[in-house]
Amino acid sequence: MKVVALVSGGKDSCYVMMKCLQYGHEIVALANLLPVDDSVDELDSYMYQTVGHQIIVSYAECMNVPLFRRRIRGSSRHQKLSYQMTPDDEVEDMFVLLSEVKRQIPSITAVSSGAIASDYQRLRVESICSRLGLVSLAFLWKQDQTLLLQEMIANGIKAILVKVAAIGLDPSKHLGKDLAFMEPHLLKLKELYGSNVCGEGGEYETLTLDCPLFTNARIVLDEFEVKLHSPDSIAPVGVLHPTIFHLEKKGNTDSNSVEEEPGLVFEVQGDGPNTTEATRQVDNGIVDHTRTRVNLSKTGKDNTFSICCWLEDSSESSTGLKQDLESVLTEIESQLSKHAFNWKNVLYIHLYISDMSEFAAANETYVKFITQEKCFFGVPSRSTIELPLVQAGLGKAYVEVLVANDHSKRVLHVQSISSWAPSCIGPYSQATLHKGVLHMAGQLGLDPPTMNLRKEGAVAELNQALTNSEAIAEAFRCSITSSAILFVVFCSERTQQSERNQLHEKFVSFLDLAKSSWRVSNVMDPIFLYILVPDLPKSALVEVKPVLYVKEDSEDDDETRKDQLGEGDFSCWGYKPEKWHQDCLQTRVVDGKICVNVLSISAEVMKKLDEPSGDEEQQLKRVSRFCVYLLNKTLSENSFSWQDTTSLRIHFSTSLGVSVERLSDIFETAFKVLNEMSGGVIFNGLKEPIFNLVPVLGAGNSSASLDNIITCELFSLRS
């Protein structure tokens, strides 16, 4: 990609440019923001480093790259973490600056920044990039600061300290000192006081005078003044004010000094967006479609529940994936509105489509409905899968949303491309934490800095996907090795059987190795569910969707509800408890708050349930009754009820040759029987089914055996 680099003069903004080149990008322009008054060294800014700005003009000559500069007119008006367009905010100066760069150099597609740990700065750069249709590159994000500092110095970053503001740093001693000279002292301060060795806590700022990017010349600082801002005896604050400097030509030349070329430097004027532009509503182009073919399911829980929407019979009435998805999302939006909710209440979205080659079109439709502006508490996490929808008699789009009636969710949404974990460029996030449950977006085996799939096959993709999942989990101070409740692994049918056979073994080995390496304690025993599907995004072979439990500090363990349902009398179902019943079921109960069940019905189990004279219809009815019986029994025995259900997916293999409509009727009948047996109290008042049927090619507890005919995935959460 062609990149405009945001440069402050600091080591980070210069080193991230070097990383851009390492990953095959091209720096075609520089962009810098500076004070209105040249004599002012530092602004009261939450966003920009301006100390040493008098020298930045030389970067254009040093790199032979055009430099665009704008004087900062705004101030820090919008100080919340997530940024929204705010007139006269200093962030809007960046918008004007980058807008002009893009106008003059239309080929630019990305912006680089030196963000390492500041969410405040990263989110603002990402916001501007989103508005301008640019990609944010932040290759230093979440990197170990000690290793990063060593790496910068080893790779030729020649920088000096231009501001100090921390215990152990003295303006009279340390300003103007070279970063390599200061490294041992900075490491010592980390040991003594927990200081950030890269200055991410505001301990110090730097100015780069030379680096491998400076192919034409290096900067020589001849004279400077030390300005003391605060004479505090413990942590004095001071800045370096450059007074005389010159450029020293690199390479063979008759003259060792050069003059600046003003033709490479552009001053950007103009005003930022006004209030009218900031609040203008844009037509999203959504067309209202008939809803006659729309079907719904909804769990009965009041505070956290699922709504699922799909279309019937795509063969005659469907006009294409985009139109089907618009119909489905429009109906879900309507259902949210009926419950006095909207998209900001959505925690997670399962987006199922009939053809992954139309992913771009689906995404284009998706972003008309779900936007960062609508979801100002954070956009939902998402998993996108191709399913055999048409084969099962459905439309070309199928959506399930997990909804909460409060705004307590914590969302991790990093849009910048970095070395940390795959970016989420658009209105979907890496993970959402709500009520102690961490819902992670489907993770592909993407190499984060390149966003390319691992090329070595399914096992390599799995290892990378798990590494990415762990990086995301660490952001919530947990680990997939100790906190995972459930791993759902989607396998593309293009995966070779020989590789598929290895996936589960490699998965377990990865977790075991991580546990031993990181000395993880209090390890949970997660449930594994493998699902065979036609295709995945980017033609990936594997996608991992982890669900984790993150115990929040304010939580107290609930007392078990011993008297809600008791042991229950299940004899009226006609089943006598047998050992093989439990062999079909994986159950995990966490702190009395969460109950996860995965019930697997294979062809062998179906035979055990079959009656000698039973036809196919009777066989499916018996299977459905058995599933409802066993799930109900397990919930009751663990003191949970159906009112605790947040989602119930019934994955069924298309090899059954049964339509969704027919199978839905069969399971609805089984649940009606259960409700009648309870005296009508279990599902009282529910108009839609509490389950959603998901057509798949196969499923199983192991990647080597995906021969389940029906798999029930039940998630219950006690408030």
Side-chain angles (χ1 to χ4, degrees):
M1 290 186 285
K2 293 186 184 298
V3 179
V4 52
L6 291 171
V7 291
S8 63
K11 64 186 186 325
D12 306 333
S13 61
C14 287
Y15 192 58
V16 78
M17 287 193 285
M18 294 173 62
K19 300 298 285 186
C20 287
L21 297 183
Q22 177 184 331
Y23 291 116
H25 306 299
E26 179 185 1
I27 306 296
V28 297
L30 308 175
N32 170 249
L33 292 125
L34 70 159
V36 172
D37 186 345
D38 283 332
S39 65
V40 173
D41 291 293
E42 185 176 35
L43 296 177
D44 183 17
S45 169
Y46 291 2
M47 187 67 192
Y48 306 118
Q49 172 189 324
T50 58
V51 180
H53 67 83
Q54 299 89 345
I55 287 179
I56 304 303
V57 69
S58 302
Y59 279 29
E61 173 62 23
C62 292
M63 294 179 63
N64 194 31
V65 171
L67 169 67
F68 294 80
R69 307 191 83 187
R70 176 176 171 83
R71 297 187 184 275
I72 302 168
R73 301 177 184 178
S75 58
S76 304
R77 290 178 175 269
H78 192 289
Q79 296 179 8
K80 293 181 179 179
L81 184 59
S82 294
Y83 181 74
Q84 292 181 326
M85 189 188 339
T86 304
D88 300 324
D89 191 281
E90 61 183 352
V91 175
E92 297 308 317
D93 287 299
M94 185 198 302
F95 177 81
V96 175
L97 175 62
L98 294 179
S99 295
E100 180 61 17
V101 177
K102 188 178 179 184
R103 188 189 70 81
Q104 292 200 33
I105 311 176
S107 60
I108 284 175
T109 56
V111 176
S112 72
S113 66
I116 298 176
S118 172
D119 282 306
Y120 185 92
Q121 293 173 344
R122 173 185 61 79
L123 287 167
R124 278 150 177 75
V125 173
E126 290 177 353
S127 174
I128 297 301
C129 287
S130 178
R131 287 162 60 185
L132 291 173
L134 299 171
V135 176
S136 172
L137 303 177
F139 292 117
L140 311 187
W141 181 250
K142 290 292 185 183
Q143 297 302 291
D144 181 278
Q145 291 187 41
T146 300
L147 297 178
L148 189 56
L149 182 63
Q150 295 171 354
E151 193 179 311
M152 290 179 184
I153 295 169
N155 283 283
I157 293 287
K158 307 294 183 184
I160 59 170
L161 269 63
V162 293
K163 178 184 177 182
V164 295
I167 187 171
L169 292 175
D170 187 335
S172 62
K173 292 181 181 179
H174 299 129
L175 287 176
K177 291 294 188 292
D178 183 77
L179 189 62
F181 173 80
M182 290 296 300
E183 182 187 12
H185 186 62
L186 295 172
L187 293 173
K188 183 178 180 180
L189 294 182
K190 177 191 175 185
E191 292 180 6
L192 290 173
Y193 310 115
S195 301
N196 295 278
V197 294
C198 281
E200 284 300 291
E203 293 87 348
Y204 70 92
E205 291 177 2
T206 60
L207 180 67
T208 302
L209 301 179
D210 192 17
C211 71
L213 297 170
F214 292 6
T215 54
N216 282 3
R218 63 178 59 87
I219 301 168
V220 179
L221 181 61
D222 300 304
E223 295 181 15
F224 63 86
E225 299 174 357
V226 172
K227 294 186 175 182
L228 194 63
H229 284 186
S230 170
D232 187 272
S233 59
I234 297 176
V237 179
V239 300
L240 179 152
H241 177 77
T243 53
I244 302 176
F245 64 93
H246 70 276
L247 300 185
E248 188 177 272
K249 198 76 172 178
K250 290 186 177 181
N252 296 324
T253 179
D254 295 333
S255 174
N256 285 331
S257 62
V258 295
E259 296 182 358
E260 299 158 9
E261 294 188 22
L264 285 173
V265 181
F266 303 88
E267 185 91 9
V268 176
Q269 306 292 336
D271 297 324
N274 58 37
T275 305
T276 303
E277 291 170 328
T279 58
R280 180 183 300 151
Q281 296 296 316
V282 179
D283 179 15
N284 60 16
I286 297 170
V287 179
D288 188 23
H289 291 274
T290 179
R291 301 176 188 175
T292 55
R293 298 178 299 116
V294 172
N295 289 265
L296 289 169
S297 67
K298 179 188 174 296
T299 53
K301 194 172 176 65
D302 290 330
N303 55 5
T304 308
F305 57 89
S306 295
I307 298 176
C308 188
C309 185
W310 67 95
L311 305 178
E312 288 180 13
D313 190 15
S314 67
S315 58
E316 296 180 0
S317 50
S318 175
T319 53
L321 188 147
K322 286 182 67 173
Q323 291 77 7
D324 282 5
L325 184 55
E326 281 190 9
S327 295
V328 166
L329 291 173
T330 298
E331 180 61 27
I332 287 180
E333 197 167 61
S334 173
Q335 292 296 318
L336 289 171
S337 180
K338 287 179 182 178
H339 292 84
F341 297 151
N342 53 40
W343 292 109
K344 70 174 180 280
N345 295 93
V346 175
L347 307 175
Y348 201 97
I349 296 179
H350 288 84
L351 175 59
Y352 302 130
I353 58 178
S354 62
D355 186 352
M356 195 56 70
S357 67
E358 295 190 71
F359 176 80
N363 220 34
E364 182 183 329
T365 303
Y366 181 92
V367 300
K368 292 179 182 178
F369 289 83
I370 298 95
T371 66
Q372 295 182 62
E373 290 72 27
K374 292 180 182 178
C375 306
F376 44 84
F377 296 108
V379 290
S381 303
R382 189 180 84 179
S383 177
T384 305
I385 307 292
E386 179 182 322
L387 294 180
L389 300 177
V390 176
Q391 186 178 345
L394 300 176
K396 296 178 180 177
Y398 183 139
V399 175
E400 178 191 340
V401 297
L402 181 63
V403 186
N405 70 346
D406 60 27
H407 302 139
S408 64
K409 66 180 180 181
R410 284 176 50 203
V411 172
L412 178 65
H413 184 205
V414 179
Q415 298 185 72
S416 300
I417 295 177
S418 68
S419 299
W420 163 72
S423 64
C424 288
I425 303 173
Y428 33 90
S429 60
Q430 279 89 356
T432 301
L433 177 65
H434 182 258
K435 302 290 186 185
V437 182
L438 183 62
H439 305 273
M440 202 176 293
Q443 296 298 308
L444 303 179
L446 293 170
D447 175 47
T450 64
M451 292 297 286
N452 292 327
L453 281 171
R454 292 286 298 271
K455 298 179 180 179
E456 301 93 333
V459 172
E461 284 188 26
L462 175 67
N463 282 330
Q464 185 65 60
L466 294 175
T467 301
N468 297 340
S469 300
E470 182 61 22
I472 294 168
E474 287 176 356
F476 292 88
R477 298 182 180 180
C478 62
S479 168
I480 62 170
T481 62
S482 58
S483 303
I485 311 167
L486 171 67
F487 287 108
V488 179
V489 184
F490 297 99
C491 302
S492 167
E493 65 174 336
R494 293 181 297 102
T495 308
Q496 297 293 327
Q497 184 64 49
S498 57
E499 276 203 298
R500 204 183 296 163
N501 292 341
Q502 302 177 50
L503 286 177
H504 186 65
E505 179 185 345
K506 297 295 183 182
F507 199 140
V508 174
S509 296
F510 179 97
L511 297 180
D512 288 344
L513 179 62
K515 290 172 189 175
S516 60
S517 300
W518 301 331
R519 298 177 182 178
V520 177
S521 58
N522 300 322
V523 176
M524 292 187 188
D525 182 19
I527 293 175
F528 294 90
L529 173 59
Y530 293 84
I531 299 176
L532 187 64
V533 297
D535 203 1
L536 296 167
K538 292 182 177 287
S539 297
L541 299 175
V542 176
E543 178 175 325
V544 180
K545 189 185 69 170
V547 180
L548 282 67
Y549 175 58
V550 182
K551 187 171 183 177
E552 297 170 320
D553 294 337
S554 60
E555 285 187 6
D556 296 318
D557 290 346
D558 290 339
E559 293 184 6
T560 302
R561 294 182 297 180
K562 297 179 179 179
D563 300 325
Q564 183 180 7
L565 292 178
E567 286 299 314
D569 179 13
F570 306 107
S571 59
C572 54
W573 282 89
Y575 298 107
K576 294 180 180 179
E578 297 187 43
K579 182 180 180 303
W580 66 266
H581 288 184
Q582 295 308 311
D583 293 340
C584 303
L585 189 66
Q586 299 180 83
T587 300
R588 299 293 181 273
V589 178
V590 183
D591 279 357
K593 295 182 175 69
I594 298 168
C595 183
V596 182
N597 291 278
V598 173
L599 172 59
S600 301
I601 306 296
S602 64
E604 182 180 350
V605 172
M606 286 187 73
K607 288 180 181 178
K608 291 180 179 179
L609 293 171
D610 196 15
E611 296 175 344
S613 59
D615 58 13
E616 181 182 348
E617 182 83 14
Q618 291 301 317
Q619 186 182 44
L620 287 174
K621 287 180 178 179
R622 191 159 178 80
V623 167
S624 68
R625 286 169 61 96
F626 177 73
C627 290
V628 172
Y629 149 75
L630 198 53
L631 291 174
N632 182 61
K633 180 174 182 290
T634 304
L635 287 174
S636 181
E637 289 175 346
N638 289 285
S639 297
F640 282 79
S641 75
W642 286 102
Q643 281 74 27
D644 296 319
T645 300
T646 62
S647 65
L648 172 55
R649 296 180 200 97
I650 301 177
H651 308 276
F652 71 97
S653 172
T654 51
S655 65
L656 265 178
V658 62
S659 70
V660 169
E661 183 179 7
R662 180 183 170 205
L663 195 59
S664 181
D665 288 341
I666 291 172
F667 270 91
E668 276 194 65
T669 300
F671 277 106
K672 285 178 181 177
V673 171
L674 173 64
N675 195 46
E676 290 169 2
M677 290 167 54
S678 71
V681 299
I682 294 183
F683 305 114
N684 184 35
L686 288 182
K687 297 179 181 179
E688 292 90 14
I690 69 162
F691 60 88
N692 55 295
L693 293 167
V694 184
V696 298
L697 300 181
N701 301 333
S702 169
S703 58
S705 179
L706 301 175
D707 57 358
N708 284 359
I709 304 299
I710 288 176
T711 307
C712 299
E713 178 191 350
L714 173 62
F715 198 99
S716 303
L717 177 66
R718 187 177 295 160
S719 302

